[in-house]
């Protein structure tokens, strides 16, 4: 028994020894083969194998300008200085300072250099984005020509590709008709696509117009994109100017397509337009963008549905369509919002007056009329613009190069109905302006406010206007203003003027004193007048005010250009049947002078066409109680 056990032990030792010898022989053979390969892989062989692999996979031509070295340990790899890849047919050229390729083990044993992981150092890339066919003799080209699920596709889809890392690269993207090339700098990304039928990822950082960005891209079937099919995809872009998350399907047929969800946020929409090389208005804030929608992008068009948009604190829902072509963008759609604050959109508009009070003579910047093409319909339950508050507003905005059309189809403002229409068009360096509007039953209280005088005129306002002008600055626009205005006010009150008391007691001083402004009011049932405007001067036509025991006629002119008044008025008491009251004589009033230094006369003018300037007294400019 003892001898049998010793024999078994000996046999086991012999088997272990034989296995050890076998392993040693294999390892020695592998090392010998690798060492032998290091002598076989001369510079010529390296160049030949590498260029052949790259051409088989991509169709790119490879040129090695510098030295090429093979390193065996610890990881077999080749190290090449100054290398170029190009494919004029595909519109791509890459010039890199260095190339390091980790070699696959099994091909190396047979004396072939096959790269499984490549690193490009400081590559400078020029990419033509116009559609170009793949090189047919390459693996990518053959995969593109093979139909999905065909025997040809099954045979080619097992072809091996590689991992490619780009270190400190740069790219210049060109396209026919584009105003400028797109430059991307400080590219540090890793592209992992190991087999044609495998998924692919792109992860890394780059700078776009000096803005650092991080990108994560995943494609489930990139080979299907080569065949004009579609692939599931996710895109995550993180940067200070823009954060974007997209999840859906991408197709790359004759045109790029994307269909799926889209989430984006940005502190400034203007900055995004600058990064994209698109023109944008210089006015307004356009800040705090937050967008969530379903997107359908085909080529240079995008349809955004189920849209939830926040911009400048305003929130919208609806649909939008965006198109870009030759550096010009077009935006159309329908939006609805509960509250629209217009104030941020007009921020930065030129001041109408200069420091010393005259109208501004600074040339108008008409470039904003060219920044994009808009065709928007907007409904707002509430609309605010400074102190003006409007309800149930239906607005349309239409722009074309050098043209703006803004229409308020209907709205409720201060208890009344309003409508308006404004068109602006550029004529050389001048601006042509056309405006029209109407109002019915508007409360005047919120309309007439100043820094010192509040609510000087109360009542219910109705009226209409048609205005036109042309000029290169605000002063020219005011001086060129022409048109007509018709105004009617009912159930009104003039605060700070008591015509009835002046007629009754004969003091001839109807204006309020500073101590008691609220105690001087003139109530009236109806007031009507018209304005005929020519060359910036408005002439009052058929001005009449009627109260319970007071009637007033007024006329004169308002010089809008030089900011001056020349008005007259005749007030008298009347009986219930409208006849002049006795024994109180009528009261004549004249107001004349610059807007900020008015002079008042209570003497009868020589004619009713213009007031007299005798016995002038200052009009009190004092606060009036609310």
């Amino acid at each position: 028994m003892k001898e049998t056990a010793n024999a078994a032990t000996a046999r086991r030792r012999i088997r272990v020894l034989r296995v050890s010898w076998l392993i040693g022989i294999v390892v020695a053979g592998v090392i010998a083969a690798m060492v032998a390969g290091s002598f076989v892989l001369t510079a010529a062989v390296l160049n030949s194998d590498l260029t052949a692999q790259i051409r088989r996979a991509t169709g790119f031509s490879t040129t090695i300008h510098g030295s090429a070295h093979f390193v065996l340990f610890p990881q077999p790899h080749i190290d090449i200085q100054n290398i170029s890849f190009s494919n004029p047919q595909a519109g791509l050229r890459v010039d890199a300072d260095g190339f390091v390729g980790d070699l696959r083990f099994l091909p190396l044993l047979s004396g072939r250099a096959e790269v499984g992981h490549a690193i490009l150092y400081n590559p400078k890339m020029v990419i033509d984005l116009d559609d170009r066919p793949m090189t047919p003799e390459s693996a990518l080209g053959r995969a593109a020509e093979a139909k999905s699920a065909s025997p040809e596709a099954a045979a080619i889809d097992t072809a091996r590709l590689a991992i490619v890392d780009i270190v400190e690269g740069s790219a210049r993207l060109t396209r026919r008709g584009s105003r400028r090339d797109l430059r991307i700098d400080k590219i540090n990304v890793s592209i992992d696509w190991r087999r044609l039928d495998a998924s692919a990822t792109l992860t890394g950082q780059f700078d776009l117009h000096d803005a650092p960005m991080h990108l994560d891209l995943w494609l489930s079937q990139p080979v299907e994109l080569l065949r004009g099919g579609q692939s599931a995809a996710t895109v995550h872009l993180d940067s200070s100017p823009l954060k974007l998350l997209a999840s859906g399907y991408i197709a790359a047929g004759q045109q790029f397509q994307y269909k799926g969800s889209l989430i984006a946020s940005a502190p400034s929409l203007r900055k995004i337009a600058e990064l994209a090389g698109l023109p944008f208005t210089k006015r307004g804030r356009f800040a705090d963008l937050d967008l969530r929608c379903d997107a359908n992008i085909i080529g240079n068009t995008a349809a955004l549905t189920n849209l939830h948009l926040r911009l400048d604190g305003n929130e919208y829902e609806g649909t939008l369509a965006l198109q870009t072509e030759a550096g010009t963008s077009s935006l159309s759609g329908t939006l609805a919002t509960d509250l629209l604050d217009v104030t941020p959109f007009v921020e930065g508009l030129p001041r109408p007056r200069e420091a010393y009070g005259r109208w501004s003579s600074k040339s108008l910047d008409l470039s904003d009329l060219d920044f994009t093409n808009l065709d928007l319909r907007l409904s707002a339950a509430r609309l605010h613009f400074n102190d003006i508050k409007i309800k149930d507003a239906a607005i349309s905005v239409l722009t074309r190069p050098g043209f703006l059309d803004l229409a308020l189809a209907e709205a409720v403002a201060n208890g009344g109905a309003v409508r308006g229409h404004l068109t602006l068009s550029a004529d050389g360096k001048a601006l042509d302006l056309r405006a029209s509007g109407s109002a019915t039953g508007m409360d005047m209280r919120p309309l007439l406010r100043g820094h010192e005088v509040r609510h000087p005129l109360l009542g219910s306002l109705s009226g209409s206007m048609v205005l036109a002008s042309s000029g290169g600055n605000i002063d020219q626009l005011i001086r060129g203003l022409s048109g007509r205005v018709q105004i009617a006010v009912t159930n009104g009150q003039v605060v700070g003027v008591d015509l009835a008391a002046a007629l009754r007691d004969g003091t001839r001083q109807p204006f309020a004193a500073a101590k008691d402004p609220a105690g001087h009011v003139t109530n009236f049932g109806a007031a009507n007048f018209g304005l005929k405007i020519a060359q910036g001067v408005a002439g009052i036509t058929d001005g009449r005010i009627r109260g319970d025991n007071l009637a007033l006629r007024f006329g004169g002119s308002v010089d809008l250009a030089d900011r001056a008044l020349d008005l007259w008025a005749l007030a008298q008491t009347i009986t219930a049947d409208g006849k002049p009251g006795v024994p109180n004589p009528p009261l004549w009033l004249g107001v004349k002078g610059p807007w900020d230094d008015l002079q008042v006369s209570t003497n009868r003018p020589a004619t009713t066409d213009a007031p007299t300037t005798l016995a002038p007294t200052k009009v009190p400019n004092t606060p009036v109680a609310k």
Side-chain angles (χ1 to χ4, degrees):
M1 293 295 292
K2 184 174 181 181
E3 292 179 358
T4 302
N6 291 335
T9 302
R11 286 195 296 270
R12 284 197 298 271
R13 289 177 177 175
I14 291 172
R15 286 198 298 269
V16 171
L17 183 58
R18 287 174 178 173
V19 171
S20 300
W21 289 347
L22 179 61
I23 293 174
I25 292 170
V26 170
V27 171
V30 169
I31 294 175
M34 294 176 66
V35 172
S38 66
F39 294 101
V40 174
L41 292 175
T42 62
V45 173
L46 287 171
N47 291 359
S48 177
D49 286 358
L50 179 63
T51 56
Q53 181 190 0
I54 293 174
R55 187 163 189 82
R56 285 195 308 270
T58 65
F60 294 164
S61 299
T62 305
T63 303
I64 299 176
H65 306 284
S67 59
H69 301 282
F70 171 65
V71 179
L72 180 60
F73 295 109
Q75 164 69 46
H77 66 273
I78 53 176
D79 189 343
I80 302 174
Q81 302 299 315
N82 298 324
I83 188 170
S84 298
F85 310 94
S86 64
N87 188 342
Q89 188 174 353
L92 173 65
R93 179 177 177 84
V94 180
D95 296 301
D97 291 345
F99 173 94
V100 174
D102 291 342
L103 302 179
R104 291 191 172 107
F105 182 74
L106 292 180
L108 183 62
L109 295 179
S110 62
R112 290 186 297 109
E114 186 174 307
V115 176
H117 184 183
I119 304 174
L120 291 173
Y121 291 94
N122 302 315
K124 296 176 177 59
M125 296 169 280
V126 179
I127 305 171
D128 188 341
L129 297 178
D130 293 312
D131 293 335
R132 293 173 179 268
M134 298 295 297
T135 305
E137 64 271 14
S138 67
L140 295 179
R142 295 194 304 273
E145 293 180 350
K147 293 183 179 180
S148 299
S150 67
E152 294 80 5
I156 190 63
D157 285 358
T158 57
R160 290 193 296 183
L161 300 176
I163 301 172
V164 178
D165 294 341
I166 297 176
V167 179
E168 292 299 318
S170 64
R172 179 165 59 89
L173 283 62
T174 66
R175 169 164 279 174
R176 286 192 304 268
S178 178
R179 294 183 178 180
R180 63 175 182 175
D181 295 342
L182 179 64
R183 287 196 56 87
I184 305 175
D185 300 306
K186 296 183 180 179
I187 302 174
N188 292 277
V189 300
S190 178
I191 305 169
D192 188 343
W193 189 12
R194 306 188 188 192
R195 284 193 0 161
L196 276 172
D197 58 358
S199 63
T201 61
L202 186 153
T203 304
Q205 299 84 29
F206 58 89
D207 281 9
L208 182 62
H209 298 301
D210 297 325
M213 299 188 174
H214 180 90
L215 176 65
D216 290 309
L217 168 67
W218 171 81
L219 298 173
S220 67
Q221 294 177 298
V223 69
E224 291 301 320
L225 299 180
L226 300 178
R227 296 171 178 146
Q230 68 176 17
S231 169
T234 60
V235 179
H236 184 200
L237 179 68
D238 190 4
S239 66
S240 57
L242 174 66
K243 298 182 186 299
L244 183 144
L245 178 63
S247 179
Y249 289 88
I250 291 176
Q254 293 182 350
Q255 298 185 91
F256 170 82
Q257 298 181 42
Y258 170 77
K259 188 174 184 179
S261 65
L262 187 64
I263 300 174
S265 62
S268 171
L269 187 58
R270 179 179 288 106
K271 180 64 175 178
I272 299 302
E274 292 175 356
L275 290 176
L278 298 174
F280 202 82
T281 176
K282 300 175 183 177
R283 317 301 178 194
R285 299 177 195 167
F286 295 95
D288 300 325
L289 169 71
D290 187 273
L291 180 147
R292 299 168 184 267
C293 68
D294 295 328
N296 188 5
I297 302 172
I298 302 176
N300 59 353
T301 66
L304 309 181
T305 57
N306 298 321
L307 175 68
H308 297 269
L309 172 67
R310 186 174 72 242
L311 183 65
D312 282 330
N314 298 311
E315 296 186 359
Y316 311 88
E317 294 182 353
T319 62
L320 287 176
L322 175 66
Q323 181 176 11
T324 60
E325 188 170 357
T328 300
S329 58
S330 299
L331 181 66
S332 61
T334 302
L335 298 174
T337 180
D338 178 64
L339 173 62
L340 174 61
D341 187 355
V342 181
T343 307
F345 294 104
V346 298
E347 187 177 88
L349 288 176
R351 293 181 177 273
R353 291 189 295 168
E354 296 175 344
Y356 47 87
R358 299 188 63 84
W359 299 113
S360 174
S361 59
K362 183 179 180 180
S363 297
L364 295 173
D365 183 0
L366 305 182
S367 61
D368 283 349
L369 292 179
D370 293 328
F371 89 94
T372 192
N373 295 330
L374 295 177
D375 187 0
L376 296 177
R377 303 292 183 271
L378 178 64
S379 60
R382 295 174 295 159
L383 186 149
H384 293 177
F385 177 52
N386 291 330
D387 289 334
I388 300 176
K389 297 182 179 181
I390 297 177
K391 297 180 180 180
D392 302 327
I395 304 169
S396 66
V397 182
L398 177 67
T399 68
R400 292 295 181 266
F403 177 78
L404 166 68
D405 184 289
L406 177 63
L408 179 64
E410 59 181 357
V412 176
N414 303 327
V418 294
R419 292 178 175 83
H421 191 193
L422 171 69
T423 62
L424 302 174
S425 58
D427 183 10
K429 294 184 178 181
L431 178 69
D432 287 336
L433 178 150
R434 301 289 183 271
S436 61
S438 64
T440 305
M442 287 182 60
D443 183 6
M444 297 184 64
R445 181 184 297 268
L447 297 179
L448 301 176
R449 291 191 175 207
H451 295 292
E452 298 179 356
V453 179
R454 292 175 178 263
H455 310 319
L457 183 62
L458 308 179
S460 178
L461 171 69
S462 298
S464 62
M465 70 171 187
V466 177
L467 303 174
S469 186
S470 179
N473 54 50
I474 299 295
D475 184 71
Q476 292 177 1
L477 286 174
I478 297 296
R479 294 183 183 279
L481 191 64
S482 62
R484 57 181 176 81
V485 178
Q486 192 65 40
I487 298 294
V489 181
T490 58
N491 300 320
Q493 185 181 82
V494 181
V495 179
V497 179
D498 191 347
L499 293 175
L503 289 168
R504 184 174 58 251
D505 58 24
T507 61
R508 304 334 230 190
Q509 295 294 332
F511 295 101
K515 294 181 180 180
D516 186 22
H520 290 68
V521 297
T522 297
N523 298 310
F524 60 88
N528 298 272
F529 67 94
L531 295 175
K532 289 185 177 180
I533 307 173
Q535 302 301 313
V537 178
I540 299 176
T541 61
D542 198 24
R544 298 175 182 272
I545 296 178
R546 174 75 180 267
D548 292 337
N549 57 355
L550 175 70
L552 183 142
R553 289 181 56 212
F554 61 95
S557 63
V558 180
D559 190 336
L560 301 173
D562 291 327
R563 298 167 51 81
L565 298 178
D566 190 357
L567 306 177
W568 62 265
L570 172 61
Q572 61 184 23
T573 57
I574 57 174
T575 61
D577 57 2
K579 295 181 180 180
V582 291
N584 299 327
L587 173 64
W588 290 92
L589 296 174
V591 180
K592 189 173 184 178
W595 291 0
D596 54 358
D597 189 22
L598 295 176
Q599 303 291 321
V600 175
S601 170
T602 56
N603 292 335
R604 179 172 182 168
T607 67
T608 57
D609 293 327
T612 68
T613 57
L614 300 177
T617 58
K618 290 274 187 176
V619 177
N621 187 16
T622 55
V624 176
K626 295 183 179 180

